[in-house]
Amino acid sequence: AAGATTSTASAAGAPGTKAIKIIGLSCSPRKGKTTAAALSICLEAAKAVDPRVTTELIELAGRNIGVYDPADPKAVQGGFADLIPILSSPDVAAIVIGTPVYFGNMSSLCKAFLDHCMVFRQKEFALSGKVGGVVAVGAGRNGGQELTLQSVQAALMGQNLIIVGDGRPTSHFGATLINTNDDISKDEFGIGTAKNLGRHVAEVCLRLRQTNN
């Protein structure tokens, strides 16, 4: 069904350990395309870090999230309303946003989603302390991906998330991939950044869990 959640959950880990859940959000209006594929690579790398790490991929395509209206945000929330309890759950340790690049910036769906996240600020920063990462898929190596990453990161900072990049050895703003005829499989460098981001997000989540314990 349109807007359905695709789960890629791993095993909950060893007995007596609490799962660390990472959610990937695909903000492409086209379901199952390269943004979702890039996020899947990122999430698989995160799961490989530790058996306690679980992941879930949610695609926003088909959820009919409207342009944010501060006068009456609920009137145009569409399927965003279903995401409020999911994303604000204390079980979610990290959120990775994925977006295609349109004219050097995020998709309009991504912007609408981030604007609707105002509800989390109004609920005493319900996303505060979660780890945030960003994936951007463009039409070329220099297709505006880094500007897009920083734009999304700016919005996530407004939610008091802990923003991380793709980590070593690339250690840039996040994952940057090239879409060539609806295919990212030949972009070895970009796939590497997606894997590095997933690994880095998971590692930071684990360190925070250890510190808080």
Side-chain angles (χ1 to χ4, degrees):
T5 298
T6 303
S7 177
T8 56
S10 67
T17 62
K18 187 175 180 181
I20 294 172
K21 188 170 186 178
I22 300 172
I23 288 182
L25 278 168
S26 175
C27 299
S28 171
R30 302 191 308 150
K31 188 175 181 182
K33 296 296 184 177
T34 51
T35 301
L39 278 170
S40 294
I41 292 169
C42 178
L43 295 176
E44 285 298 318
K47 285 195 295 184
V49 171
D50 190 284
R52 289 170 293 177
V53 176
T54 68
T55 66
E56 182 177 357
L57 174 62
I58 298 175
E59 299 202 49
L60 300 188
R63 287 184 175 267
N64 298 317
I65 300 173
V67 174
Y68 181 75
D69 179 2
D72 190 6
K74 289 185 178 180
V76 289
Q77 274 185 341
F80 177 85
D82 298 335
L83 300 176
I84 296 173
I86 296 173
L87 298 179
S88 60
S89 169
D91 293 334
V92 175
I95 299 170
V96 181
I97 305 290
T99 179
V101 179
Y102 296 152
F103 293 100
N105 216 315
M106 69 184 84
S107 67
S108 58
L109 179 56
C110 186
K111 184 64 167 71
F113 165 79
L114 292 171
D115 286 347
H116 278 283
C117 285
M118 175 63 75
V119 68
F120 298 120
R121 279 182 63 99
Q122 295 169 340
K123 292 186 176 183
E124 299 183 350
F125 289 87
L127 303 183
S128 179
K130 298 183 189 297
V131 175
V134 189
V135 173
V137 182
R141 179 82 283 149
N142 300 304
Q145 288 94 327
E146 288 198 336
L147 180 60
T148 300
L149 295 179
Q150 292 176 72
S151 187
V152 176
Q153 286 170 343
L156 297 181
M157 287 179 180
Q159 298 291 341
N160 206 32
L161 269 74
I162 300 167
I163 308 303
V164 302
D166 51 320
R168 295 181 292 181
T170 45
S171 196
H172 295 140
F173 294 105
T176 58
L177 294 98
I178 301 173
N179 174 3
T180 304
N181 298 321
D182 278 342
D183 182 23
I184 58 172
S185 64
K186 297 180 178 62
D187 182 14
E188 294 183 9
F189 177 84
I191 288 172
T193 65
K195 291 179 178 179
N196 290 342
L197 177 64
R199 184 178 65 248
H200 195 199
V201 167
E203 289 172 348
V204 172
C205 288
L206 288 163
R207 287 172 187 161
L208 288 171
R209 173 68 56 82
Q210 187 177 26
T211 300
N212 292 334
N213 288 343

Coordinates of all heavy atoms in Angstrom, one line a residue, residues 39-137:
L39 N 19.8 4.3 1.4 CA 19.5 4.2 2.8 C 19.6 2.7 3.3 O 20.1 2.4 4.4 CB 18.1 4.7 3.1 CG 18.0 6.2 3.3 CD1 16.5 6.6 3.4 CD2 18.7 6.6 4.6
S40 N 19.2 1.8 2.4 CA 19.3 0.4 2.8 C 20.8 0.0 3.0 O 21.1 -0.8 3.9 CB 18.7 -0.5 1.7 OG 17.3 -0.3 1.6
I41 N 21.6 0.5 2.1 CA 23.1 0.2 2.2 C 23.6 0.7 3.6 O 24.3 0.1 4.3 CB 23.9 0.8 1.1 CG1 23.5 0.0 -0.2 CG2 25.4 0.8 1.3 CD1 24.0 0.7 -1.5
C42 N 23.2 1.9 3.9 CA 23.6 2.6 5.1 C 23.1 1.8 6.3 O 23.9 1.6 7.3 CB 23.0 4.0 5.1 SG 23.3 5.0 6.6
L43 N 21.9 1.4 6.3 CA 21.3 0.6 7.4 C 21.9 -0.8 7.6 O 22.1 -1.2 8.7 CB 19.8 0.5 7.3 CG 19.0 1.8 7.3 CD1 17.5 1.6 7.0 CD2 19.2 2.5 8.7
E44 N 22.2 -1.4 6.5 CA 22.9 -2.7 6.6 C 24.3 -2.6 7.2 O 24.7 -3.4 8.0 CB 23.0 -3.3 5.2 CG 21.7 -3.9 4.6 CD 21.2 -5.0 5.4 OE1 22.0 -5.9 5.9 OE2 20.0 -5.0 5.6
A45 N 25.0 -1.5 6.9 CA 26.3 -1.3 7.5 C 26.2 -1.0 9.0 O 27.0 -1.4 9.8 CB 27.0 -0.1 6.8
A46 N 25.1 -0.3 9.4 CA 24.9 -0.1 10.8 C 24.6 -1.4 11.5 O 25.1 -1.6 12.6 CB 23.7 0.9 10.9
K47 N 23.8 -2.2 11.0 CA 23.5 -3.5 11.6 C 24.7 -4.4 11.8 O 24.8 -5.1 12.8 CB 22.5 -4.3 10.8 CG 21.1 -3.8 10.9 CD 20.0 -4.8 10.4 CE 20.1 -5.0 9.0 NZ 19.1 -5.9 8.5
A48 N 25.7 -4.3 10.9 CA 26.9 -5.1 10.9 C 27.8 -4.7 12.1 O 28.7 -5.5 12.4 CB 27.6 -5.0 9.6
V49 N 27.6 -3.5 12.7 CA 28.5 -3.1 13.7 C 28.3 -3.9 15.0 O 29.3 -4.2 15.7 CB 28.2 -1.6 14.0 CG1 29.0 -1.1 15.3 CG2 28.7 -0.7 12.8
D50 N 27.1 -4.2 15.3 CA 26.8 -4.9 16.6 C 25.4 -5.6 16.5 O 24.5 -5.0 16.0 CB 26.8 -3.8 17.8 CG 26.8 -4.4 19.1 OD1 25.7 -4.9 19.6 OD2 27.8 -4.4 19.8
P51 N 25.3 -6.8 17.1 CA 24.0 -7.5 17.1 C 22.9 -6.8 17.8 O 21.7 -7.1 17.6 CB 24.3 -8.9 17.7 CG 25.6 -8.6 18.5 CD 26.3 -7.6 17.8
R52 N 23.2 -5.8 18.6 CA 22.1 -5.1 19.3 C 21.5 -4.0 18.4 O 20.4 -3.5 18.7 CB 22.7 -4.4 20.5 CG 23.1 -5.3 21.7 CD 23.8 -4.5 22.7 NE 25.1 -4.1 22.3 CZ 26.0 -3.4 23.0 NH1 25.7 -3.0 24.2 NH2 27.2 -3.0 22.5
V53 N 22.1 -3.7 17.3 CA 21.6 -2.7 16.4 C 20.5 -3.3 15.5 O 20.6 -4.3 14.8 CB 22.7 -2.1 15.5 CG1 22.1 -1.1 14.5 CG2 23.8 -1.4 16.3
T54 N 19.3 -2.6 15.5 CA 18.2 -3.0 14.6 C 17.9 -1.8 13.8 O 18.2 -0.6 14.1 CB 16.9 -3.4 15.4 OG1 16.4 -2.2 16.1 CG2 17.2 -4.5 16.4
T55 N 17.3 -2.0 12.6 CA 17.0 -0.9 11.7 C 15.7 -1.0 11.1 O 15.1 -2.1 11.0 CB 18.1 -0.9 10.5 OG1 18.0 -2.0 9.7 CG2 19.5 -0.7 11.1
E56 N 15.1 0.1 10.6 CA 13.9 0.1 9.9 C 13.9 1.2 8.8 O 14.3 2.3 9.1 CB 12.7 0.4 10.9 CG 11.3 0.3 10.2 CD 10.2 0.5 11.2 OE1 10.5 0.6 12.4 OE2 9.0 0.6 10.8
L57 N 13.5 0.8 7.6 CA 13.4 1.8 6.5 C 11.9 2.2 6.3 O 11.1 1.4 6.2 CB 13.9 1.2 5.2 CG 13.8 2.0 4.0 CD1 14.6 3.3 4.1 CD2 14.2 1.3 2.8
I58 N 11.7 3.5 6.4 CA 10.4 4.1 6.2 C 10.4 5.0 5.0 O 11.3 5.9 4.9 CB 9.9 4.9 7.4 CG1 9.8 4.0 8.6 CG2 8.5 5.6 7.1 CD1 9.4 4.7 9.9
E59 N 9.5 4.8 4.0 CA 9.5 5.6 2.8 C 8.3 6.6 2.9 O 7.2 6.2 3.2 CB 9.4 4.7 1.6 CG 10.6 3.8 1.4 CD 10.7 3.3 0.0 OE1 10.7 4.2 -1.0 OE2 10.9 2.1 -0.2
L60 N 8.6 7.8 2.6 CA 7.5 8.8 2.7 C 6.7 9.0 1.5 O 5.6 9.6 1.5 CB 8.2 10.2 3.0 CG 9.0 10.3 4.3 CD1 9.3 11.8 4.6 CD2 8.2 9.8 5.5
A61 N 7.1 8.3 0.4 CA 6.3 8.4 -0.8 C 4.9 7.8 -0.6 O 4.7 6.8 0.0 CB 7.0 7.5 -1.9
G62 N 3.9 8.6 -1.0 CA 2.5 8.2 -0.9 C 1.9 8.6 0.4 O 0.7 8.3 0.6
R63 N 2.6 9.2 1.3 CA 2.0 9.6 2.6 C 1.3 10.9 2.5 O 0.7 11.3 3.5 CB 3.1 9.6 3.7 CG 3.6 8.3 4.1 CD 4.6 8.3 5.2 NE 5.0 7.0 5.6 CZ 4.4 6.3 6.6 NH1 3.4 6.9 7.3 NH2 4.8 5.1 7.0
N64 N 1.3 11.6 1.4 CA 0.6 12.8 1.2 C 0.8 13.9 2.4 O -0.1 14.4 2.9 CB -1.0 12.5 1.2 CG -1.3 11.6 0.0 OD1 -0.8 11.8 -1.1 ND2 -2.1 10.6 0.3
I65 N 2.1 14.1 2.6 CA 2.5 15.1 3.6 C 2.4 16.5 2.9 O 3.2 16.7 2.0 CB 3.9 14.8 4.2 CG1 3.9 13.4 4.9 CG2 4.3 15.9 5.2 CD1 5.2 13.0 5.3
G66 N 1.6 17.3 3.4 CA 1.4 18.6 2.8 C 2.4 19.7 3.2 O 3.1 19.5 4.2
V67 N 2.4 20.8 2.5 CA 3.2 22.0 2.9 C 2.8 22.4 4.3 O 1.6 22.6 4.6 CB 3.0 23.1 1.9 CG1 3.8 24.3 2.4 CG2 3.5 22.7 0.5
Y68 N 3.7 22.6 5.2 CA 3.5 22.9 6.6 C 2.7 24.2 6.7 O 3.2 25.3 6.1 CB 4.8 23.0 7.4 CG 4.6 23.3 8.8 CD1 4.1 22.3 9.7 CD2 4.9 24.5 9.3 CE1 4.0 22.6 11.1 CE2 4.8 24.8 10.7 CZ 4.3 23.9 11.6 OH 4.2 24.1 12.9
D69 N 1.6 24.2 7.4 CA 0.9 25.4 7.7 C 0.8 25.7 9.2 O 0.1 25.0 9.9 CB -0.6 25.3 7.2 CG -1.4 26.5 7.4 OD1 -0.9 27.5 8.0 OD2 -2.6 26.5 7.1
P70 N 1.6 26.6 9.7 CA 1.7 26.9 11.2 C 0.3 27.2 11.8 O 0.1 27.0 13.0 CB 2.7 28.0 11.3 CG 2.7 28.7 10.0 CD 2.4 27.6 9.0
A71 N -0.6 27.7 11.0 CA -1.9 28.1 11.5 C -2.8 26.8 11.8 O -3.6 26.9 12.7 CB -2.7 29.0 10.5
D72 N -2.6 25.8 11.0 CA -3.3 24.5 11.3 C -2.5 23.4 10.7 O -2.9 22.8 9.7 CB -4.7 24.6 10.6 CG -5.6 23.5 10.9 OD1 -5.2 22.7 11.8 OD2 -6.7 23.4 10.4
P73 N -1.4 23.0 11.4 CA -0.6 22.0 10.9 C -1.2 20.6 10.7 O -0.9 19.8 9.8 CB 0.6 21.9 11.9 CG 0.1 22.6 13.1 CD -0.9 23.6 12.6
K74 N -2.1 20.3 11.6 CA -2.8 19.0 11.6 C -3.6 18.8 10.3 O -3.8 17.6 9.8 CB -3.6 18.7 12.8 CG -2.8 18.6 14.1 CD -3.7 18.2 15.3 CE -2.9 18.0 16.5 NZ -3.8 17.7 17.7
A75 N -4.1 19.9 9.7 CA -4.9 19.8 8.5 C -4.2 19.3 7.3 O -4.8 18.7 6.4 CB -5.6 21.1 8.2
V76 N -2.9 19.4 7.3 CA -2.1 19.0 6.2 C -1.0 18.0 6.5 O -0.1 17.8 5.7 CB -1.4 20.3 5.5 CG1 -2.4 21.1 4.8 CG2 -0.6 21.1 6.5
Q77 N -1.1 17.4 7.7 CA -0.1 16.4 8.1 C -0.1 15.2 7.2 O 0.9 14.6 7.0 CB -0.4 16.0 9.6 CG 0.3 16.9 10.6 CD 0.1 16.3 12.0 OE1 -0.8 15.5 12.3 NE2 0.9 16.8 12.9
G78 N -1.3 14.7 6.8 CA -1.3 13.5 6.0 C -0.8 12.3 6.8 O -1.0 12.2 8.0
G79 N 0.1 11.5 6.2 CA 0.7 10.4 6.8 C 1.8 10.7 7.8 O 2.3 9.8 8.5
F80 N 2.1 12.0 8.0 CA 3.1 12.4 9.0 C 2.7 12.0 10.4 O 3.5 11.7 11.2 CB 3.5 13.9 8.9 CG 4.4 14.3 9.9 CD1 5.8 14.2 9.7 CD2 4.0 14.9 11.1 CE1 6.7 14.6 10.7 CE2 4.9 15.3 12.1 CZ 6.2 15.2 11.8
A81 N 1.4 12.1 10.6 CA 0.8 11.9 11.9 C 1.2 10.5 12.5 O 1.5 10.4 13.6 CB -0.7 12.1 11.9
D82 N 1.2 9.5 11.6 CA 1.6 8.2 12.0 C 3.0 8.1 12.4 O 3.4 7.1 13.2 CB 1.3 7.2 10.9 CG -0.1 7.1 10.4 OD1 -1.0 7.5 11.3 OD2 -0.4 6.8 9.3
L83 N 3.9 9.0 12.0 CA 5.3 8.9 12.3 C 5.6 9.5 13.6 O 6.7 9.3 14.2 CB 6.1 9.6 11.2 CG 5.9 9.1 9.8 CD1 6.7 9.9 8.8 CD2 6.4 7.6 9.7
I84 N 4.8 10.3 14.2 CA 5.1 11.1 15.4 C 5.4 10.1 16.6 O 6.5 10.2 17.2 CB 3.9 12.0 15.8 CG1 3.8 13.1 14.7 CG2 4.2 12.6 17.2 CD1 2.6 14.0 14.9
P85 N 4.6 9.1 16.9 CA 5.0 8.2 18.0 C 6.1 7.3 17.6 O 6.9 6.9 18.5 CB 3.7 7.4 18.2 CG 2.9 7.5 16.9 CD 3.3 8.8 16.3
I86 N 6.3 7.0 16.4 CA 7.4 6.1 15.9 C 8.8 6.8 16.2 O 9.7 6.3 16.8 CB 7.3 5.7 14.5 CG1 6.0 4.9 14.3 CG2 8.5 5.0 14.0 CD1 5.7 4.6 12.8
L87 N 8.9 8.1 15.7 CA 10.2 8.8 15.7 C 10.5 9.2 17.1 O 11.7 9.3 17.5 CB 10.2 9.9 14.8 CG 10.0 9.6 13.3 CD1 10.0 10.9 12.4 CD2 11.1 8.6 12.8
S88 N 9.5 9.6 17.9 CA 9.7 10.1 19.2 C 9.9 9.0 20.3 O 10.2 9.3 21.4 CB 8.6 11.0 19.7 OG 7.3 10.4 19.7
S89 N 9.7 7.8 19.9 CA 9.9 6.7 20.8 C 11.3 6.6 21.4 O 12.3 6.8 20.7 CB 9.6 5.3 20.1 OG 10.0 4.2 21.0
P90 N 11.4 6.4 22.7 CA 12.7 6.3 23.3 C 13.5 5.1 22.8 O 14.7 5.1 23.0 CB 12.4 6.2 24.8 CG 11.0 5.8 24.9 CD 10.3 6.3 23.7
D91 N 12.9 4.2 22.2 CA 13.6 3.0 21.6 C 14.4 3.4 20.4 O 15.3 2.7 20.0 CB 12.6 1.9 21.3 CG 11.9 1.3 22.5 OD1 12.5 1.4 23.6 OD2 10.8 0.8 22.3
V92 N 14.1 4.5 19.8 CA 14.8 5.0 18.6 C 16.0 5.8 19.0 O 15.9 6.9 19.6 CB 13.8 5.8 17.6 CG1 14.6 6.4 16.5 CG2 12.7 5.0 17.2
A93 N 17.2 5.3 18.6 CA 18.4 5.9 19.0 C 18.9 6.9 17.9 O 19.7 7.8 18.2 CB 19.5 4.9 19.3
A94 N 18.5 6.6 16.7 CA 19.1 7.4 15.6 C 18.1 7.5 14.4 O 17.3 6.6 14.2 CB 20.4 6.9 15.1
I95 N 18.2 8.6 13.7 CA 17.3 8.8 12.5 C 18.3 9.2 11.4 O 19.0 10.2 11.5 CB 16.3 9.9 12.7 CG1 15.3 9.5 13.9 CG2 15.5 10.2 11.4 CD1 14.4 10.6 14.3
V96 N 18.2 8.5 10.3 CA 19.0 8.9 9.1 C 18.0 9.3 8.0 O 17.2 8.5 7.6 CB 19.9 7.7 8.6 CG1 20.7 8.1 7.4 CG2 20.8 7.2 9.7
I97 N 18.2 10.6 7.6 CA 17.3 11.1 6.5 C 18.0 10.9 5.2 O 19.1 11.3 5.0 CB 17.1 12.6 6.7 CG1 16.5 12.9 8.1 CG2 16.2 13.2 5.6 CD1 15.1 12.4 8.3
G98 N 17.2 10.4 4.2 CA 17.7 10.3 2.8 C 16.9 11.1 1.9 O 15.6 11.1 2.0
T99 N 17.5 11.9 1.0 CA 16.8 12.7 0.0 C 17.4 12.7 -1.3 O 18.7 12.7 -1.4 CB 16.6 14.1 0.6 OG1 15.9 14.9 -0.4 CG2 17.9 14.8 0.8
P100 N 16.7 12.8 -2.4 CA 17.3 13.1 -3.7 C 17.6 14.5 -3.7 O 17.1 15.3 -2.9 CB 16.1 12.7 -4.7 CG 14.9 12.9 -3.9 CD 15.2 12.5 -2.5
V101 N 18.5 14.9 -4.6 CA 18.9 16.3 -4.8 C 18.1 16.9 -6.0 O 18.2 16.4 -7.1 CB 20.4 16.4 -5.0 CG1 20.8 17.9 -5.2 CG2 21.2 15.8 -3.9
Y102 N 17.4 18.0 -5.7 CA 16.7 18.7 -6.7 C 17.2 20.2 -6.7 O 17.0 20.9 -5.7 CB 15.2 18.7 -6.5 CG 14.5 17.3 -6.6 CD1 13.4 17.1 -5.8 CD2 15.1 16.3 -7.3 CE1 12.8 15.8 -5.9 CE2 14.5 15.1 -7.4 CZ 13.3 14.8 -6.7 OH 12.7 13.6 -6.8
F103 N 17.8 20.6 -7.8 CA 18.4 21.9 -7.9 C 19.2 22.3 -6.7 O 19.1 23.4 -6.1 CB 17.2 22.9 -8.1 CG 16.5 22.7 -9.4 CD1 15.3 22.1 -9.5 CD2 17.1 23.2 -10.6 CE1 14.7 21.8 -10.7 CE2 16.4 23.0 -11.8 CZ 15.2 22.3 -11.9
G104 N 20.1 21.4 -6.3 CA 21.1 21.7 -5.3 C 20.5 21.7 -3.9 O 21.2 22.2 -3.0
N105 N 19.4 21.1 -3.7 CA 18.8 21.0 -2.3 C 17.9 19.8 -2.2 O 17.8 19.0 -3.1 CB 18.1 22.3 -2.0 CG 18.3 22.7 -0.5 OD1 18.2 21.9 0.4 ND2 18.5 24.0 -0.3
M106 N 17.3 19.7 -1.0 CA 16.5 18.5 -0.7 C 15.2 18.6 -1.5 O 14.8 19.6 -2.1 CB 16.1 18.6 0.8 CG 15.2 19.7 1.3 SD 14.9 19.8 3.0 CE 16.3 20.7 3.6
S107 N 14.5 17.4 -1.5 CA 13.2 17.3 -2.2 C 12.2 18.1 -1.4 O 12.3 18.4 -0.2 CB 12.8 15.9 -2.3 OG 12.5 15.4 -1.0
S108 N 11.1 18.5 -2.1 CA 10.0 19.2 -1.4 C 9.4 18.4 -0.4 O 8.9 18.9 0.7 CB 9.0 19.7 -2.4 OG 8.5 18.6 -3.2
L109 N 9.4 17.1 -0.6 CA 8.8 16.1 0.4 C 9.7 16.1 1.7 O 9.1 16.1 2.8 CB 8.7 14.7 -0.2 CG 8.2 13.6 0.7 CD1 6.8 14.0 1.3 CD2 8.2 12.3 0.0
C110 N 11.0 16.2 1.5 CA 11.9 16.2 2.6 C 11.7 17.5 3.4 O 11.6 17.5 4.7 CB 13.3 16.1 2.2 SG 14.5 16.0 3.5
K111 N 11.5 18.6 2.7 CA 11.3 19.9 3.4 C 10.0 19.9 4.1 O 9.9 20.4 5.3 CB 11.3 21.1 2.4 CG 11.2 22.5 3.0 CD 12.4 22.8 3.9 CE 12.4 24.3 4.2 NZ 11.4 24.7 5.2
A112 N 8.9 19.4 3.5 CA 7.6 19.3 4.2 C 7.7 18.5 5.5 O 7.2 18.8 6.5 CB 6.6 18.7 3.2
F113 N 8.4 17.3 5.4 CA 8.6 16.5 6.5 C 9.3 17.2 7.7 O 8.9 17.2 8.8 CB 9.4 15.2 6.1 CG 9.9 14.5 7.3 CD1 9.1 13.6 8.1 CD2 11.2 14.6 7.7 CE1 9.6 13.0 9.2 CE2 11.7 13.9 8.8 CZ 10.9 13.1 9.5
L114 N 10.4 17.8 7.3 CA 11.2 18.5 8.3 C 10.4 19.7 9.0 O 10.6 19.9 10.2 CB 12.5 19.0 7.7 CG 13.5 18.0 7.3 CD1 14.7 18.6 6.5 CD2 14.1 17.2 8.6
D115 N 9.6 20.4 8.2 CA 8.8 21.5 8.7 C 7.8 20.9 9.7 O 7.5 21.5 10.7 CB 8.1 22.2 7.6 CG 9.1 23.1 6.8 OD1 10.2 23.4 7.3 OD2 8.7 23.6 5.7
H116 N 7.2 19.8 9.3 CA 6.2 19.2 10.2 C 6.8 18.7 11.5 O 6.1 18.5 12.5 CB 5.5 18.0 9.5 CG 4.4 18.5 8.6 ND1 3.1 18.9 9.1 CD2 4.3 18.7 7.3 CE1 2.3 19.3 8.1 NE2 3.0 19.1 7.0
C117 N 8.1 18.5 11.5 CA 8.8 18.1 12.8 C 8.8 19.2 13.8 O 9.3 19.0 15.0 CB 10.3 17.7 12.4 SG 10.5 16.1 11.6
M118 N 8.2 20.3 13.5 CA 8.0 21.4 14.5 C 7.2 20.8 15.7 O 7.5 21.2 16.9 CB 7.2 22.5 13.9 CG 6.8 23.6 14.9 SD 8.2 24.5 15.7 CE 8.7 25.5 14.3
V119 N 6.4 19.8 15.5 CA 5.6 19.2 16.6 C 6.6 18.6 17.6 O 6.2 18.6 18.8 CB 4.7 18.1 16.0 CG1 5.4 16.9 15.5 CG2 3.7 17.6 17.1
F120 N 7.8 18.1 17.3 CA 8.7 17.6 18.2 C 9.3 18.6 19.1 O 9.6 18.4 20.3 CB 9.8 16.7 17.5 CG 9.2 15.6 16.7 CD1 9.4 15.5 15.4 CD2 8.5 14.6 17.4 CE1 8.9 14.4 14.7 CE2 8.0 13.5 16.7 CZ 8.2 13.4 15.3
R121 N 9.6 19.8 18.5 CA 10.1 20.9 19.3 C 9.1 21.4 20.3 O 9.4 21.7 21.5 CB 10.4 22.1 18.4 CG 11.8 22.1 17.7 CD 12.0 23.3 16.8 NE 12.1 24.5 17.7 CZ 13.2 25.1 18.0 NH1 14.4 24.6 17.7 NH2 13.2 26.2 18.8
Q122 N 7.8 21.3 19.9 CA 6.8 21.8 20.8 C 6.5 20.8 21.9 O 5.8 21.1 22.8 CB 5.5 22.1 19.9 CG 5.7 23.2 19.0 CD 4.6 23.4 18.0 OE1 3.8 22.4 17.7 NE2 4.4 24.6 17.4
K123 N 6.9 19.6 21.7 CA 6.8 18.5 22.7 C 8.1 18.4 23.5 O 8.6 17.3 23.6 CB 6.4 17.2 22.1 CG 5.0 17.2 21.5 CD 4.6 15.8 21.0 CE 3.1 15.8 20.5 NZ 2.7 14.5 20.1
E124 N 8.6 19.5 24.0 CA 9.8 19.5 24.8 C 11.0 18.8 24.0 O 11.8 18.1 24.6 CB 9.6 18.9 26.1 CG 8.6 19.7 26.9 CD 8.4 19.1 28.3 OE1 8.9 18.0 28.6 OE2 7.7 19.7 29.1
F125 N 11.1 19.1 22.7 CA 12.2 18.6 22.0 C 12.3 17.0 22.1 O 13.3 16.5 22.6 CB 13.6 19.2 22.4 CG 13.7 20.6 22.0 CD1 13.3 21.6 22.8 CD2 14.3 21.0 20.7 CE1 13.4 23.0 22.4 CE2 14.5 22.3 20.4 CZ 14.0 23.3 21.2
A126 N 11.2 16.4 21.6 CA 11.1 15.0 21.7 C 12.1 14.2 21.0 O 12.3 13.0 21.3 CB 9.7 14.5 21.2
L127 N 12.8 14.8 20.1 CA 13.9 14.1 19.4 C 15.3 14.4 19.9 O 16.3 13.9 19.4 CB 13.9 14.4 17.9 CG 12.6 14.2 17.1 CD1 12.8 14.5 15.6 CD2 12.2 12.7 17.2
S128 N 15.3 15.2 21.0 CA 16.6 15.6 21.6 C 17.5 14.4 22.0 O 17.0 13.4 22.6 CB 16.3 16.5 22.8 OG 17.6 16.9 23.4
G129 N 18.7 14.4 21.7 CA 19.7 13.4 22.1 C 19.8 12.2 21.1 O 20.7 11.4 21.3
K130 N 18.9 12.1 20.2 CA 19.0 11.1 19.2 C 20.1 11.4 18.2 O 20.4 12.6 18.0 CB 17.7 10.9 18.4 CG 16.5 10.4 19.3 CD 15.3 10.2 18.5 CE 14.0 10.0 19.3 NZ 14.1 8.8 20.2
V131 N 20.7 10.5 17.6 CA 21.8 10.7 16.6 C 21.1 10.9 15.2 O 20.2 10.2 14.9 CB 22.8 9.5 16.6 CG1 23.8 9.7 15.5 CG2 23.4 9.3 17.9
G132 N 21.7 11.8 14.5 CA 21.1 12.1 13.1 C 22.2 12.0 12.1 O 23.3 12.5 12.2
G133 N 21.8 11.5 10.9 CA 22.7 11.4 9.8 C 21.9 11.7 8.5 O 20.7 11.6 8.5
V134 N 22.6 12.0 7.4 CA 21.9 12.4 6.2 C 22.6 11.7 5.0 O 23.8 11.6 4.9 CB 21.9 13.9 6.0 CG1 21.0 14.3 4.8 CG2 21.5 14.6 7.2
V135 N 21.7 11.2 4.1 CA 22.1 10.6 2.8 C 21.5 11.5 1.7 O 20.4 11.9 1.7 CB 21.6 9.2 2.7 CG1 21.9 8.6 1.3 CG2 22.2 8.3 3.7
A136 N 22.3 11.9 0.7 CA 21.8 12.6 -0.5 C 22.3 11.9 -1.8 O 23.4 11.5 -1.9 CB 22.4 14.0 -0.5
V137 N 21.3 11.8 -2.7 CA 21.6 11.2 -4.0 C 21.3 12.2 -5.1 O 20.2 12.7 -5.2 CB 20.6 9.9 -4.2 CG1 20.9 9.2 -5.5 CG2 20.8 9.0 -3.0

